[in-house]
Amino acid sequence: MTPMLTPEETTTTQAAAAAHPRVIPAVAEVRQKVKQDLRMGRAYQQGRINWITTIAMGLFHVGAIAALFFFSWKNLLAFAVMYFFAINVGIGMAYHRLLTHRGYKTPKWVEYFLTMCGTLALEGGPIFWVATHRVHHQNSDDEGDPHTPHDGSWWAHAGWILSGRALHSETALLGRYAPDLTRDPVHVWLSKYHWVPLTISGILLGVIGGLATHSVMGGISMILWGTFLRVTVGLHATWLVNSATHMWGKRRFQTKDDSRNNWWVALLTGGEGWHNNHHAHPVSARHGLAWYEFDVNYYGIWLLSKIGLAKKIQIAKFDPHDPKPAGA
């Protein structure tokens, strides 16, 4: 994806270029700066630890371990329900296939609800997530890729989150890769306050758990399972898409990167593990392209279409005897 100027910048620079032809090189410089600013590979990071992120991740991992000492079927149910809405609905269906690649369309209120589910995963707001993923596709397994295993398997998995520049609050910079979202005040709000839905859901889980067990400990244990353990498992599941599916698995398509189809990552993420399929046909809302490639996230999109809440669903078309990436 080519870096984009905001509409205001485009109008200003076009007018300036018309009045003063010599301004055109300056426009090129701006575009080049945008490209440089959004290169997120290890070589472009400053090497320091993001202490706020690292401490937060550490606390969630401690909470996840603590949850294992408070098993109950109610807590497991809370984990499963919250995991489905955060990872399958929020990350897979919303952040990835809807917002990043526009593989299908929904009414705005549905888009906002799905996006809110994505904030429950603690993977940042929609603008940060979408911009980062679009940069990944532009520089996949090349210089500037935010999380390529070429920079190390640990870096690809979690190192890129724990160190380097923290871009979550730099909406203007990230917006150059997600101008469609920065023009939408709801997405801007969800990006700025992406922690609010997760906090509210945690409080509600505590209330539900307390009422269901008639004890404070019941509420705390449900928070541990439905928030801390669920978020931690979901983070690693998503991070495995960045790391494992660029190292292990099969390649149906000869893409320019190292993407692979990995069945066990697909199992953890609802279909995001069919990563070689995705990199070959990024706009396709369906990632599991064979009958045996289960794709829960696509089934959710299909279900929305059957009740009139999703349309213009993009499905990859290819010759199974001679599979080629889109545009090849």
Side-chain angles (χ1 to χ4, degrees):
M1 179 178 177
T2 303
M4 300 178 66
L5 295 174
T6 62
E8 293 78 6
E9 289 172 323
T10 301
T11 302
T12 301
T13 52
Q14 286 177 344
H20 304 284
R22 293 183 180 180
V23 175
I24 294 177
V27 176
E29 290 178 9
V30 171
R31 290 185 179 274
Q32 181 62 26
K33 183 178 185 300
V34 170
K35 185 175 182 180
Q36 291 174 349
D37 284 346
L38 285 176
R39 284 185 176 271
M40 298 179 179
R42 192 169 192 171
Y44 293 86
Q45 302 305 309
Q46 298 171 2
R48 64 175 183 268
I49 296 176
N50 288 325
W51 285 109
I52 294 178
T53 300
T54 300
I55 292 172
M57 292 297 101
L59 291 175
F60 267 84
H61 280 72
V62 170
I65 294 172
L68 301 178
F69 294 94
F70 299 96
F71 174 82
S72 74
W73 292 110
K74 293 184 180 67
N75 290 340
L76 181 60
L77 178 62
F79 173 97
V81 171
M82 293 300 295
Y83 189 93
F84 172 76
F85 277 101
I87 298 301
N88 298 118
V89 176
I91 298 300
M93 291 173 58
Y95 274 24
H96 193 196
R97 306 189 194 195
L98 176 60
L99 299 184
T100 302
H101 296 291
R102 296 297 177 182
Y104 64 105
K105 292 186 177 182
T106 66
K108 275 298 180 181
W109 70 268
V110 175
E111 178 177 310
Y112 296 149
F113 172 76
L114 299 180
T115 302
M116 184 195 68
C117 290
T119 65
L120 298 175
L122 196 64
E123 296 184 16
I127 293 176
F128 167 78
W129 204 102
V130 168
T132 300
H133 194 69
R134 287 175 177 174
V135 172
H136 164 63
H137 272 269
Q138 176 177 281
N139 305 311
S140 186
D141 288 320
D142 202 348
E143 184 181 4
D145 186 339
H147 40 63
T148 173
H150 291 187
D151 288 332
S153 56
W154 170 249
W155 174 268
H157 188 70
W160 71 282
I161 287 289
L162 303 178
S163 62
R165 297 171 62 192
L167 297 172
H168 289 274
S169 61
E170 297 189 30
T171 301
L173 175 60
L174 294 170
R176 300 179 190 278
Y177 268 75
D180 49 333
L181 300 187
T182 57
R183 289 193 293 265
D184 189 316
V186 176
H187 284 303
V188 171
W189 191 93
L190 285 171
S191 293
K192 185 176 182 179
Y193 300 105
H194 58 86
W195 50 271
V196 171
L198 178 61
T199 302
I200 294 175
S201 70
I203 294 172
L204 291 176
L205 284 172
V207 173
I208 293 171
L211 292 175
T213 60
H214 304 289
S215 69
V216 173
M217 202 61 231
I220 293 175
S221 66
M222 187 165 285
I223 292 174
L224 290 175
W225 273 80
T227 300
F228 286 86
L229 180 60
R230 185 268 305 170
V231 164
T232 301
V233 173
L235 285 171
H236 283 284
T238 300
W239 294 344
L240 283 169
V241 177
N242 300 334
S243 57
T245 62
H246 281 260
M247 295 188 291
W248 306 307
K250 297 182 179 180
R251 287 172 56 81
R252 172 178 287 124
F253 300 95
Q254 293 304 311
T255 56
K256 295 180 180 180
D257 50 43
D258 299 328
S259 59
R260 286 165 165 74
N261 291 330
N262 186 301
W263 69 268
W264 53 271
V265 176
L267 181 64
L268 289 171
T269 57
E272 304 303 303
W274 307 121
H275 208 52
N276 178 247
N277 293 347
H278 170 57
H279 271 262
H281 298 274
V283 179
S284 177
R286 181 176 180 178
H287 292 186
L289 301 181
W291 66 267
Y292 52 83
E293 293 175 345
F294 48 89
D295 191 351
V296 174
N297 299 341
Y298 170 70
Y299 305 152
I301 296 170
W302 176 85
L303 181 60
L304 287 179
S305 72
K306 293 305 177 183
I307 58 177
L309 295 179
K311 60 182 181 179
K312 296 185 178 180
I313 301 174
Q314 305 296 316
I315 305 294
K317 296 180 180 179
F318 67 99
D319 182 354
H321 302 292
D322 185 24
K324 294 180 180 179

